[in-house]
Amino acid sequence: IAGIFALYQERKREMNIMDYDDLLWYLWTLLKEDERLRKKYGTLFEYVLVDEYQDTNLIQAEIVDLLSEEHRNLLVVGDDSQSIYSFRGANFANILDFPRKYPDAAVYKLETNYRSTPEILNLANRVILHNTQQFYKTLRPVRRSGEKPQVVAAKDVLDQARFVATRILELRQAGYSLNDMAVLYRAHYQSMELQMELTRRGIPFEVRSGLRFFEQAHIKDVVAYLKIVSNPLDEIAWKRVLKICPGIGKVTASRIFERVKESPDPFSALERLVEEKELPANAQKSAKSLGELLLRLEELEASPSTMIKEVINSGYDEYLVTRYPDHRERLLDLEELANFAFQYQSLDAFLNELALLGEMEAETIVVGGIPDEKLTLSSIHQAKGLEWDVVFVIWLCEGGFPSSYSLKNKEDIEEERRLFYVACTRAKDHLFLCYPLLGESSFRDGRFIRKPSRFLRELDPGTYEKVNLTKEHLF
């Protein structure tokens, strides 16, 4: 990696260009090392104002300090309770330590909230109270009283999706536009079942956390293996899978498929190609491994969930690591796909469902829908700064939210709690906090009980209404 970085730096010098990190680094270096330059710009900028200060990284904060050194007229605005971007370098200590760095600074708390009802703010204030590293403050409402937030326990993720879809249609019937509603979640994979349910019901939506679930490359890759087992003459599926195999390019992939489609037993044809050494040397091993995997998958046709697990464990997880920086999140997507497939007793039933949903555009709703009216599905990180009349937060269970990757230390848990606070404070009128009671996983050999998120367990029961789902809530 160090060698690649050195080549990258050299290439930038040759092209006389800088990337964003260079802009920060070289500015910081100039200001730090050249006193004359520092004084020149310090005098030029008599007042320095910084917004969203809680999202600055260490070097940005030091640049601000250096520019403010001459006059010390520095104003920073930020909300420590909304510091949620440590994964991209934001340094929470910048805002927290500001009064210690500048002892003569005055601190003004902006506590008047014009967005949310008193009930939503009451819950949000109680949420963030459990963090120890913060400027303690209490949001005070301007708006009149409304409904209490609802905490909704669903049997599983499928019932959670049914409840959200049903409630959305009810609220739309009551006068809310889909544009005024959002469903928020901790990670993209948590939207899969909901996307399926919304599509079934013809509720149009836009996904702001990435591509629609089944449009993602890694989902299409794994499904392609299953499609080959179902239909060994599926050329698109074959070529998608073959391009993943090391040493197999377009020409070799086409050659393999030509042999496969001419044979009454396609998998045996692939095996013969390997045995007869008709493929390039670097493709032999890959083709052999693929053939063996397809034969194993053929034996597992009654369990599409197990088939997905087999594809992942037969090298696709390693492929993700070498190809995608966000391989961990993509693996979670695939695990959730396997969990979803657990309810299907045959491969054809599973693939038929995916095909049906793929054909449905979910672009129509009940008569009277306005053009471009769409529900928003978003990760909480991408929802920061936005607001909706109605907000659903889903997957509020341990390991889902807070994330299982954030349970190791207190600082990570406090950032997860700030993320929950951000989610709650996106809502203006209605807030629904949902979680599944049961999980279903081929990776855990069946069903298991989920614990509600610690953030829900911390809440004062007087701040919300508990909802126990019945059939009327779901359909």
PDB file of all heavy atoms in Angstrom, residues 158-185:
ATOM      1  N   LEU A 158     -40.443  -9.032   8.405  1.00  0.00           N
ATOM      2  CA  LEU A 158     -41.519  -9.015   7.410  1.00  0.00           C
ATOM      3  C   LEU A 158     -42.743  -8.292   7.957  1.00  0.00           C
ATOM      4  O   LEU A 158     -43.356  -7.471   7.261  1.00  0.00           O
ATOM      5  CB  LEU A 158     -41.878 -10.450   6.996  1.00  0.00           C
ATOM      6  CG  LEU A 158     -40.744 -11.243   6.336  1.00  0.00           C
ATOM      7  CD1 LEU A 158     -41.182 -12.676   6.081  1.00  0.00           C
ATOM      8  CD2 LEU A 158     -40.306 -10.577   5.031  1.00  0.00           C
ATOM      9  N   ASP A 159     -43.097  -8.584   9.209  1.00  0.00           N
ATOM     10  CA  ASP A 159     -44.213  -7.859   9.837  1.00  0.00           C
ATOM     11  C   ASP A 159     -43.870  -6.386  10.043  1.00  0.00           C
ATOM     12  O   ASP A 159     -44.738  -5.514   9.947  1.00  0.00           O
ATOM     13  CB  ASP A 159     -44.573  -8.505  11.184  1.00  0.00           C
ATOM     14  CG  ASP A 159     -45.641  -9.589  11.025  1.00  0.00           C
ATOM     15  OD1 ASP A 159     -45.985  -9.906   9.866  1.00  0.00           O
ATOM     16  OD2 ASP A 159     -46.122 -10.115  12.046  1.00  0.00           O
ATOM     17  N   GLN A 160     -42.612  -6.116  10.325  1.00  0.00           N
ATOM     18  CA  GLN A 160     -42.170  -4.722  10.448  1.00  0.00           C
ATOM     19  C   GLN A 160     -42.424  -3.979   9.132  1.00  0.00           C
ATOM     20  O   GLN A 160     -42.959  -2.866   9.117  1.00  0.00           O
ATOM     21  CB  GLN A 160     -40.688  -4.674  10.804  1.00  0.00           C
ATOM     22  CG  GLN A 160     -40.107  -3.270  10.924  1.00  0.00           C
ATOM     23  CD  GLN A 160     -38.634  -3.296  11.258  1.00  0.00           C
ATOM     24  OE1 GLN A 160     -38.213  -2.890  12.326  1.00  0.00           O
ATOM     25  NE2 GLN A 160     -37.807  -3.782  10.333  1.00  0.00           N
ATOM     26  N   ALA A 161     -42.063  -4.616   8.019  1.00  0.00           N
ATOM     27  CA  ALA A 161     -42.275  -4.009   6.699  1.00  0.00           C
ATOM     28  C   ALA A 161     -43.758  -3.836   6.396  1.00  0.00           C
ATOM     29  O   ALA A 161     -44.185  -2.806   5.857  1.00  0.00           O
ATOM     30  CB  ALA A 161     -41.601  -4.855   5.619  1.00  0.00           C
ATOM     31  N   ARG A 162     -44.561  -4.842   6.743  1.00  0.00           N
ATOM     32  CA  ARG A 162     -46.012  -4.747   6.508  1.00  0.00           C
ATOM     33  C   ARG A 162     -46.623  -3.600   7.305  1.00  0.00           C
ATOM     34  O   ARG A 162     -47.466  -2.857   6.796  1.00  0.00           O
ATOM     35  CB  ARG A 162     -46.681  -6.074   6.876  1.00  0.00           C
ATOM     36  CG  ARG A 162     -46.320  -7.240   5.966  1.00  0.00           C
ATOM     37  CD  ARG A 162     -47.075  -8.498   6.349  1.00  0.00           C
ATOM     38  NE  ARG A 162     -46.544  -9.660   5.642  1.00  0.00           N
ATOM     39  CZ  ARG A 162     -45.882 -10.659   6.217  1.00  0.00           C
ATOM     40  NH1 ARG A 162     -45.695 -10.651   7.536  1.00  0.00           N
ATOM     41  NH2 ARG A 162     -45.415 -11.666   5.511  1.00  0.00           N
ATOM     42  N   PHE A 163     -46.205  -3.476   8.568  1.00  0.00           N
ATOM     43  CA  PHE A 163     -46.736  -2.387   9.399  1.00  0.00           C
ATOM     44  C   PHE A 163     -46.400  -1.027   8.800  1.00  0.00           C
ATOM     45  O   PHE A 163     -47.263  -0.149   8.683  1.00  0.00           O
ATOM     46  CB  PHE A 163     -46.175  -2.470  10.823  1.00  0.00           C
ATOM     47  CG  PHE A 163     -46.396  -1.204  11.604  1.00  0.00           C
ATOM     48  CD1 PHE A 163     -47.659  -0.888  12.119  1.00  0.00           C
ATOM     49  CD2 PHE A 163     -45.364  -0.290  11.792  1.00  0.00           C
ATOM     50  CE1 PHE A 163     -47.873   0.305  12.812  1.00  0.00           C
ATOM     51  CE2 PHE A 163     -45.571   0.896  12.481  1.00  0.00           C
ATOM     52  CZ  PHE A 163     -46.831   1.191  12.990  1.00  0.00           C
ATOM     53  N   VAL A 164     -45.139  -0.837   8.417  1.00  0.00           N
ATOM     54  CA  VAL A 164     -44.713   0.458   7.868  1.00  0.00           C
ATOM     55  C   VAL A 164     -45.511   0.788   6.609  1.00  0.00           C
ATOM     56  O   VAL A 164     -46.026   1.903   6.448  1.00  0.00           O
ATOM     57  CB  VAL A 164     -43.199   0.460   7.582  1.00  0.00           C
ATOM     58  CG1 VAL A 164     -42.793   1.725   6.822  1.00  0.00           C
ATOM     59  CG2 VAL A 164     -42.404   0.364   8.890  1.00  0.00           C
ATOM     60  N   ALA A 165     -45.642  -0.192   5.702  1.00  0.00           N
ATOM     61  CA  ALA A 165     -46.376   0.045   4.454  1.00  0.00           C
ATOM     62  C   ALA A 165     -47.844   0.380   4.726  1.00  0.00           C
ATOM     63  O   ALA A 165     -48.414   1.303   4.119  1.00  0.00           O
ATOM     64  CB  ALA A 165     -46.267  -1.183   3.549  1.00  0.00           C
ATOM     65  N   THR A 166     -48.462  -0.371   5.638  1.00  0.00           N
ATOM     66  CA  THR A 166     -49.871  -0.122   5.965  1.00  0.00           C
ATOM     67  C   THR A 166     -50.057   1.253   6.581  1.00  0.00           C
ATOM     68  O   THR A 166     -50.968   1.999   6.217  1.00  0.00           O
ATOM     69  CB  THR A 166     -50.388  -1.204   6.948  1.00  0.00           C
ATOM     70  OG1 THR A 166     -50.280  -2.482   6.309  1.00  0.00           O
ATOM     71  CG2 THR A 166     -51.837  -0.950   7.327  1.00  0.00           C
ATOM     72  N   ARG A 167     -49.194   1.602   7.515  1.00  0.00           N
ATOM     73  CA  ARG A 167     -49.323   2.907   8.188  1.00  0.00           C
ATOM     74  C   ARG A 167     -49.092   4.056   7.213  1.00  0.00           C
ATOM     75  O   ARG A 167     -49.736   5.103   7.308  1.00  0.00           O
ATOM     76  CB  ARG A 167     -48.326   2.972   9.351  1.00  0.00           C
ATOM     77  CG  ARG A 167     -48.620   4.057  10.352  1.00  0.00           C
ATOM     78  CD  ARG A 167     -49.836   3.726  11.205  1.00  0.00           C
ATOM     79  NE  ARG A 167     -50.228   4.843  12.063  1.00  0.00           N
ATOM     80  CZ  ARG A 167     -51.141   5.753  11.747  1.00  0.00           C
ATOM     81  NH1 ARG A 167     -51.766   5.694  10.572  1.00  0.00           N
ATOM     82  NH2 ARG A 167     -51.456   6.723  12.568  1.00  0.00           N
ATOM     83  N   ILE A 168     -48.189   3.862   6.279  1.00  0.00           N
ATOM     84  CA  ILE A 168     -47.933   4.890   5.262  1.00  0.00           C
ATOM     85  C   ILE A 168     -49.190   5.145   4.435  1.00  0.00           C
ATOM     86  O   ILE A 168     -49.569   6.297   4.178  1.00  0.00           O
ATOM     87  CB  ILE A 168     -46.749   4.475   4.358  1.00  0.00           C
ATOM     88  CG1 ILE A 168     -45.418   4.694   5.113  1.00  0.00           C
ATOM     89  CG2 ILE A 168     -46.731   5.255   3.045  1.00  0.00           C
ATOM     90  CD1 ILE A 168     -44.233   4.032   4.469  1.00  0.00           C
ATOM     91  N   LEU A 169     -49.860   4.072   4.015  1.00  0.00           N
ATOM     92  CA  LEU A 169     -51.091   4.230   3.232  1.00  0.00           C
ATOM     93  C   LEU A 169     -52.187   4.901   4.055  1.00  0.00           C
ATOM     94  O   LEU A 169     -52.945   5.729   3.541  1.00  0.00           O
ATOM     95  CB  LEU A 169     -51.555   2.863   2.729  1.00  0.00           C
ATOM     96  CG  LEU A 169     -50.673   2.208   1.646  1.00  0.00           C
ATOM     97  CD1 LEU A 169     -51.147   0.805   1.341  1.00  0.00           C
ATOM     98  CD2 LEU A 169     -50.634   3.064   0.384  1.00  0.00           C
ATOM     99  N   GLU A 170     -52.262   4.566   5.339  1.00  0.00           N
ATOM    100  CA  GLU A 170     -53.259   5.200   6.209  1.00  0.00           C
ATOM    101  C   GLU A 170     -52.980   6.692   6.371  1.00  0.00           C
ATOM    102  O   GLU A 170     -53.905   7.522   6.311  1.00  0.00           O
ATOM    103  CB  GLU A 170     -53.248   4.519   7.586  1.00  0.00           C
ATOM    104  CG  GLU A 170     -53.798   3.100   7.573  1.00  0.00           C
ATOM    105  CD  GLU A 170     -53.580   2.382   8.892  1.00  0.00           C
ATOM    106  OE1 GLU A 170     -52.854   2.922   9.760  1.00  0.00           O
ATOM    107  OE2 GLU A 170     -54.122   1.269   9.052  1.00  0.00           O
ATOM    108  N   LEU A 171     -51.727   7.035   6.562  1.00  0.00           N
ATOM    109  CA  LEU A 171     -51.368   8.449   6.736  1.00  0.00           C
ATOM    110  C   LEU A 171     -51.583   9.231   5.444  1.00  0.00           C
ATOM    111  O   LEU A 171     -51.977  10.395   5.471  1.00  0.00           O
ATOM    112  CB  LEU A 171     -49.909   8.561   7.193  1.00  0.00           C
ATOM    113  CG  LEU A 171     -49.671   8.177   8.653  1.00  0.00           C
ATOM    114  CD1 LEU A 171     -48.198   7.880   8.912  1.00  0.00           C
ATOM    115  CD2 LEU A 171     -50.147   9.298   9.583  1.00  0.00           C
ATOM    116  N   ARG A 172     -51.331   8.571   4.319  1.00  0.00           N
ATOM    117  CA  ARG A 172     -51.589   9.253   3.046  1.00  0.00           C
ATOM    118  C   ARG A 172     -53.082   9.496   2.866  1.00  0.00           C
ATOM    119  O   ARG A 172     -53.506  10.545   2.381  1.00  0.00           O
ATOM    120  CB  ARG A 172     -51.052   8.432   1.875  1.00  0.00           C
ATOM    121  CG  ARG A 172     -51.086   9.236   0.573  1.00  0.00           C
ATOM    122  CD  ARG A 172     -50.594   8.434  -0.591  1.00  0.00           C
ATOM    123  NE  ARG A 172     -50.690   9.265  -1.788  1.00  0.00           N
ATOM    124  CZ  ARG A 172     -51.819   9.500  -2.440  1.00  0.00           C
ATOM    125  NH1 ARG A 172     -52.947   8.970  -2.023  1.00  0.00           N
ATOM    126  NH2 ARG A 172     -51.819  10.274  -3.510  1.00  0.00           N
ATOM    127  N   GLN A 173     -53.873   8.508   3.296  1.00  0.00           N
ATOM    128  CA  GLN A 173     -55.324   8.662   3.237  1.00  0.00           C
ATOM    129  C   GLN A 173     -55.779   9.818   4.132  1.00  0.00           C
ATOM    130  O   GLN A 173     -56.758  10.508   3.842  1.00  0.00           O
ATOM    131  CB  GLN A 173     -55.992   7.353   3.704  1.00  0.00           C
ATOM    132  CG  GLN A 173     -57.438   7.186   3.270  1.00  0.00           C
ATOM    133  CD  GLN A 173     -57.560   6.831   1.788  1.00  0.00           C
ATOM    134  OE1 GLN A 173     -56.591   6.400   1.183  1.00  0.00           O
ATOM    135  NE2 GLN A 173     -58.734   7.044   1.203  1.00  0.00           N
ATOM    136  N   ALA A 174     -55.026  10.044   5.210  1.00  0.00           N
ATOM    137  CA  ALA A 174     -55.362  11.111   6.160  1.00  0.00           C
ATOM    138  C   ALA A 174     -54.885  12.482   5.695  1.00  0.00           C
ATOM    139  O   ALA A 174     -55.136  13.490   6.365  1.00  0.00           O
ATOM    140  CB  ALA A 174     -54.762  10.796   7.526  1.00  0.00           C
ATOM    141  N   GLY A 175     -54.178  12.533   4.556  1.00  0.00           N
ATOM    142  CA  GLY A 175     -53.806  13.836   4.006  1.00  0.00           C
ATOM    143  C   GLY A 175     -52.325  14.101   3.866  1.00  0.00           C
ATOM    144  O   GLY A 175     -51.921  15.110   3.282  1.00  0.00           O
ATOM    145  N   TYR A 176     -51.465  13.218   4.370  1.00  0.00           N
ATOM    146  CA  TYR A 176     -50.018  13.402   4.219  1.00  0.00           C
ATOM    147  C   TYR A 176     -49.569  12.914   2.838  1.00  0.00           C
ATOM    148  O   TYR A 176     -49.998  11.864   2.372  1.00  0.00           O
ATOM    149  CB  TYR A 176     -49.257  12.638   5.291  1.00  0.00           C
ATOM    150  CG  TYR A 176     -49.315  13.269   6.664  1.00  0.00           C
ATOM    151  CD1 TYR A 176     -50.222  12.816   7.622  1.00  0.00           C
ATOM    152  CD2 TYR A 176     -48.464  14.309   7.012  1.00  0.00           C
ATOM    153  CE1 TYR A 176     -50.281  13.392   8.889  1.00  0.00           C
ATOM    154  CE2 TYR A 176     -48.513  14.897   8.269  1.00  0.00           C
ATOM    155  CZ  TYR A 176     -49.426  14.428   9.202  1.00  0.00           C
ATOM    156  OH  TYR A 176     -49.479  15.005  10.447  1.00  0.00           O
ATOM    157  N   SER A 177     -48.683  13.659   2.209  1.00  0.00           N
ATOM    158  CA  SER A 177     -48.096  13.230   0.939  1.00  0.00           C
ATOM    159  C   SER A 177     -46.959  12.251   1.213  1.00  0.00           C
ATOM    160  O   SER A 177     -46.297  12.321   2.259  1.00  0.00           O
ATOM    161  CB  SER A 177     -47.547  14.449   0.187  1.00  0.00           C
ATOM    162  OG  SER A 177     -46.691  14.049  -0.867  1.00  0.00           O
ATOM    163  N   LEU A 178     -46.709  11.356   0.265  1.00  0.00           N
ATOM    164  CA  LEU A 178     -45.550  10.471   0.401  1.00  0.00           C
ATOM    165  C   LEU A 178     -44.260  11.268   0.499  1.00  0.00           C
ATOM    166  O   LEU A 178     -43.293  10.847   1.137  1.00  0.00           O
ATOM    167  CB  LEU A 178     -45.468   9.514  -0.794  1.00  0.00           C
ATOM    168  CG  LEU A 178     -46.554   8.441  -0.914  1.00  0.00           C
ATOM    169  CD1 LEU A 178     -46.296   7.591  -2.143  1.00  0.00           C
ATOM    170  CD2 LEU A 178     -46.621   7.587   0.326  1.00  0.00           C
ATOM    171  N   ASN A 179     -44.225  12.430  -0.147  1.00  0.00           N
ATOM    172  CA  ASN A 179     -43.039  13.278  -0.100  1.00  0.00           C
ATOM    173  C   ASN A 179     -42.725  13.754   1.313  1.00  0.00           C
ATOM    174  O   ASN A 179     -41.603  14.182   1.598  1.00  0.00           O
ATOM    175  CB  ASN A 179     -43.209  14.503  -1.005  1.00  0.00           C
ATOM    176  CG  ASN A 179     -43.332  14.129  -2.465  1.00  0.00           C
ATOM    177  OD1 ASN A 179     -42.800  13.108  -2.892  1.00  0.00           O
ATOM    178  ND2 ASN A 179     -44.041  14.934  -3.241  1.00  0.00           N
ATOM    179  N   ASP A 180     -43.743  13.717   2.181  1.00  0.00           N
ATOM    180  CA  ASP A 180     -43.572  14.199   3.554  1.00  0.00           C
ATOM    181  C   ASP A 180     -43.286  13.067   4.534  1.00  0.00           C
ATOM    182  O   ASP A 180     -43.344  13.269   5.751  1.00  0.00           O
ATOM    183  CB  ASP A 180     -44.832  14.950   4.004  1.00  0.00           C
ATOM    184  CG  ASP A 180     -45.095  16.180   3.149  1.00  0.00           C
ATOM    185  OD1 ASP A 180     -44.112  16.810   2.719  1.00  0.00           O
ATOM    186  OD2 ASP A 180     -46.286  16.489   2.903  1.00  0.00           O
ATOM    187  N   MET A 181     -42.980  11.867   4.014  1.00  0.00           N
ATOM    188  CA  MET A 181     -42.725  10.720   4.880  1.00  0.00           C
ATOM    189  C   MET A 181     -41.371  10.094   4.529  1.00  0.00           C
ATOM    190  O   MET A 181     -40.956  10.103   3.371  1.00  0.00           O
ATOM    191  CB  MET A 181     -43.835   9.684   4.729  1.00  0.00           C
ATOM    192  CG  MET A 181     -45.188  10.169   5.233  1.00  0.00           C
ATOM    193  SD  MET A 181     -46.438   8.849   5.204  1.00  0.00           S
ATOM    194  CE  MET A 181     -47.318   9.249   3.696  1.00  0.00           C
ATOM    195  N   ALA A 182     -40.724   9.546   5.557  1.00  0.00           N
ATOM    196  CA  ALA A 182     -39.426   8.897   5.348  1.00  0.00           C
ATOM    197  C   ALA A 182     -39.283   7.696   6.274  1.00  0.00           C
ATOM    198  O   ALA A 182     -39.821   7.674   7.381  1.00  0.00           O
ATOM    199  CB  ALA A 182     -38.285   9.877   5.602  1.00  0.00           C
ATOM    200  N   VAL A 183     -38.541   6.705   5.778  1.00  0.00           N
ATOM    201  CA  VAL A 183     -38.152   5.559   6.601  1.00  0.00           C
ATOM    202  C   VAL A 183     -36.628   5.600   6.714  1.00  0.00           C
ATOM    203  O   VAL A 183     -35.923   5.623   5.705  1.00  0.00           O
ATOM    204  CB  VAL A 183     -38.594   4.223   5.984  1.00  0.00           C
ATOM    205  CG1 VAL A 183     -38.226   3.071   6.921  1.00  0.00           C
ATOM    206  CG2 VAL A 183     -40.088   4.226   5.700  1.00  0.00           C
ATOM    207  N   LEU A 184     -36.146   5.611   7.952  1.00  0.00           N
ATOM    208  CA  LEU A 184     -34.709   5.733   8.206  1.00  0.00           C
ATOM    209  C   LEU A 184     -34.187   4.448   8.838  1.00  0.00           C
ATOM    210  O   LEU A 184     -34.888   3.771   9.589  1.00  0.00           O
ATOM    211  CB  LEU A 184     -34.432   6.915   9.134  1.00  0.00           C
ATOM    212  CG  LEU A 184     -35.015   8.276   8.714  1.00  0.00           C
ATOM    213  CD1 LEU A 184     -34.629   9.353   9.725  1.00  0.00           C
ATOM    214  CD2 LEU A 184     -34.557   8.664   7.310  1.00  0.00           C
ATOM    215  N   TYR A 185     -32.916   4.153   8.557  1.00  0.00           N
ATOM    216  CA  TYR A 185     -32.314   2.930   9.082  1.00  0.00           C
ATOM    217  C   TYR A 185     -30.822   3.136   9.236  1.00  0.00           C
ATOM    218  O   TYR A 185     -30.215   4.062   8.681  1.00  0.00           O
ATOM    219  CB  TYR A 185     -32.603   1.738   8.161  1.00  0.00           C
ATOM    220  CG  TYR A 185     -32.601   2.091   6.689  1.00  0.00           C
ATOM    221  CD1 TYR A 185     -31.418   2.196   5.962  1.00  0.00           C
ATOM    222  CD2 TYR A 185     -33.795   2.368   6.030  1.00  0.00           C
ATOM    223  CE1 TYR A 185     -31.427   2.542   4.622  1.00  0.00           C
ATOM    224  CE2 TYR A 185     -33.808   2.725   4.685  1.00  0.00           C
ATOM    225  CZ  TYR A 185     -32.627   2.806   3.994  1.00  0.00           C
ATOM    226  OH  TYR A 185     -32.631   3.169   2.660  1.00  0.00           O
TER     227      TYR A 185
END
